[in-house]
Amino acid sequence: MAKARPSLTLVEMEKKLGYKVDSSTYPNKNTDSFYLDLRQIPKSIYLRTRQELDEYERRTHRKDVRAISVRALPEPDLVHLRQNTSSDSTPLWFRLPRKIRNRIYDFALPKGNWQIEDVDDFNRCNFIQSIGDPSGFYFPLSGKIAALGVNRQIRQEALPFAYRKTLFHLDDMDDLVKLLVAIGKVGRDNIEMLELAWESRADSELKLDENPNMDDSSLLLPTLHAARCVQLLKQCKRLRSLRLHIGSDLINDISPDDFKAHPGIRELCSLRGIKTVQICDLGYELVDDHGLAKWLREKMESSTEEEE
């Protein structure tokens, strides 16, 4: 269980912040609202003030403070993405039939791995700026794939194959939601391999705030963003390989009825037709041939037609 934080009065927290958290500046209490990192905004003024104070203190003590870019989109190697305006002749590469070019992209682009190195940096740059680019064309997938930085047309043609060759590792459901928004339509249409820990920081923090004495099993089964996560995963039309990490205590210690009835697990079971599903514990040991893990794997690998 998390250590209890020293309690401050509302007045003490407002003094540290330098302002009062006014309930009139937030949406209707009946509407769920979220911070940028997908934590739910508490409806209680006290909890809301404490969260804003925590965020203020965290940013105050952050050593590597970088200014937020005012550019609408990131500028990695994409400064080289110039449209070929030469009127002399069509480049030899583009004289090849598109089908042949696609086969070359598929053969030549390397396999890769992708993960969020710095959550704050991802939230501040990639996630915010991607909102202005719903296609996902400018998302900085990899600076190591030279073909993505040649020109606009080659990037447009090669990007789907780059996504298909990349294994995405996510340590948290909240990060997956942000990634699937950030990569846009081209990313969601082509991502094939995904590794995900079925956990949620935002969900755990919310549950602890509402009930500090809640048992560990309730904390580890996420609910808050499960529906949003699965909705976005269903848009990943080519997803064929999914490795899920679930705490072993959830698989071994929870009653089958409670596990199967949990809202987050029910959402996960609605994701069907994935060719390969692996269930691992948090120590990377495969457990998908045992009990509830086997049941969950078989549900997700089955098609809706089989269920009928």
Side-chain angles (χ1 to χ4, degrees):
M1 297 294 291
K3 293 183 179 178
R5 289 172 286 187
S7 58
L8 297 173
T9 67
L10 182 61
V11 173
E12 289 172 331
M13 291 190 292
E14 289 175 343
K15 186 175 180 181
K16 284 192 171 188
L17 281 171
Y19 63 87
K20 291 185 177 182
V21 176
D22 185 0
S23 60
S24 64
T25 61
Y26 286 83
N28 189 289
K29 286 187 176 181
N30 297 323
T31 304
D32 288 336
S33 303
F34 301 92
Y35 293 112
L36 177 64
D37 60 4
L38 299 188
R39 289 177 299 133
Q40 189 170 34
I41 297 176
K43 294 178 173 59
S44 158
I45 290 292
Y46 180 86
L47 291 177
R48 193 181 302 153
T49 304
R50 191 175 73 185
Q51 285 203 3
E52 296 202 11
L53 178 61
D54 289 345
E55 179 68 10
Y56 169 76
E57 290 179 339
R58 187 180 67 81
R59 290 186 177 276
T60 299
H61 292 91
R62 183 175 172 83
K63 295 181 180 180
D64 181 23
V65 179
R66 287 181 285 179
I68 298 178
S69 172
V70 297
R71 295 187 296 270
L73 292 170
E75 291 184 309
D77 294 337
L78 303 186
V79 291
H80 301 297
L81 295 179
R82 299 185 298 271
Q83 191 76 9
N84 192 320
T85 57
S86 172
S87 58
D88 297 339
S89 61
T90 302
L92 182 60
W93 173 254
F94 294 113
R95 296 180 197 173
L96 294 173
R98 178 64 184 270
K99 188 174 181 179
I100 298 298
R101 299 204 301 272
N102 286 348
R103 292 186 65 180
I104 295 174
Y105 291 134
D106 190 31
F107 177 78
L109 292 181
K111 293 181 179 180
N113 292 277
W114 188 97
Q115 61 187 29
I116 295 176
E117 301 291 345
D118 185 319
V119 173
D120 289 332
D121 185 59
F122 181 83
N123 289 343
R124 187 171 55 246
C125 299
N126 305 117
F127 182 54
I128 292 178
Q129 293 171 350
S130 68
I131 295 173
D133 176 33
S135 70
F137 179 82
Y138 290 104
F139 181 78
L141 176 63
S142 174
K144 298 179 181 179
I145 303 178
L148 299 183
V150 177
N151 60 37
R152 291 184 65 88
Q153 185 173 346
I154 289 181
R155 180 178 179 83
Q156 187 174 40
E157 294 179 354
L159 198 54
F161 296 92
Y163 275 105
R164 296 170 196 176
K165 295 291 190 76
T166 301
L167 171 59
F168 291 83
H169 304 265
L170 284 305
D171 295 330
D172 186 277
M173 178 191 299
D174 309 342
D175 293 339
L176 177 63
V177 170
K178 288 179 284 189
L179 171 70
L180 293 180
V181 171
I183 61 178
K185 188 175 186 304
V186 66
R188 293 191 297 273
D189 283 350
N190 290 284
I191 187 171
E192 294 188 351
M193 300 174 288
L194 180 64
E195 184 170 8
L196 168 68
W198 192 248
E199 298 181 333
S200 168
R201 291 186 300 272
D203 189 271
S204 296
E205 288 181 14
L206 176 64
K207 289 175 180 175
L208 275 174
D209 282 337
E210 293 178 343
N211 185 359
N213 298 317
M214 183 170 287
D215 62 90
D216 289 341
S217 62
S218 297
L219 284 176
L220 292 174
L221 275 172
T223 305
L224 183 62
H225 296 302
R228 295 174 180 86
C229 178
V230 172
Q231 273 183 339
L232 287 165
L233 282 171
K234 287 179 178 178
Q235 295 180 34
C236 300
K237 304 170 184 177
R238 296 182 64 95
L239 184 62
R240 59 178 177 81
S241 175
L242 176 64
R243 173 176 283 196
L244 275 177
H245 294 269
I246 302 178
S248 57
D249 52 344
L250 299 179
I251 298 172
N252 299 322
D253 300 340
I254 293 181
S255 73
D257 289 342
D258 288 344
F259 185 85
K260 294 177 182 180
H262 189 273
I265 297 299
R266 290 204 308 267
E267 288 289 346
L268 199 53
C269 286
S270 71
L271 192 64
R272 299 298 183 87
I274 301 176
K275 183 178 180 181
T276 304
V277 176
Q278 293 181 318
I279 311 291
C280 303
D281 61 20
L282 298 180
Y284 290 85
E285 182 177 348
L286 283 172
V287 294
D288 55 5
D289 283 329
H290 305 285
L292 292 173
K294 181 180 180 181
W295 170 83
L296 180 59
R297 174 177 61 80
E298 290 175 347
K299 280 281 187 183
M300 297 175 70
E301 288 183 340
S302 67
S303 65
T304 53
E305 289 79 6
E306 290 174 358
E307 189 72 11
E308 293 172 358

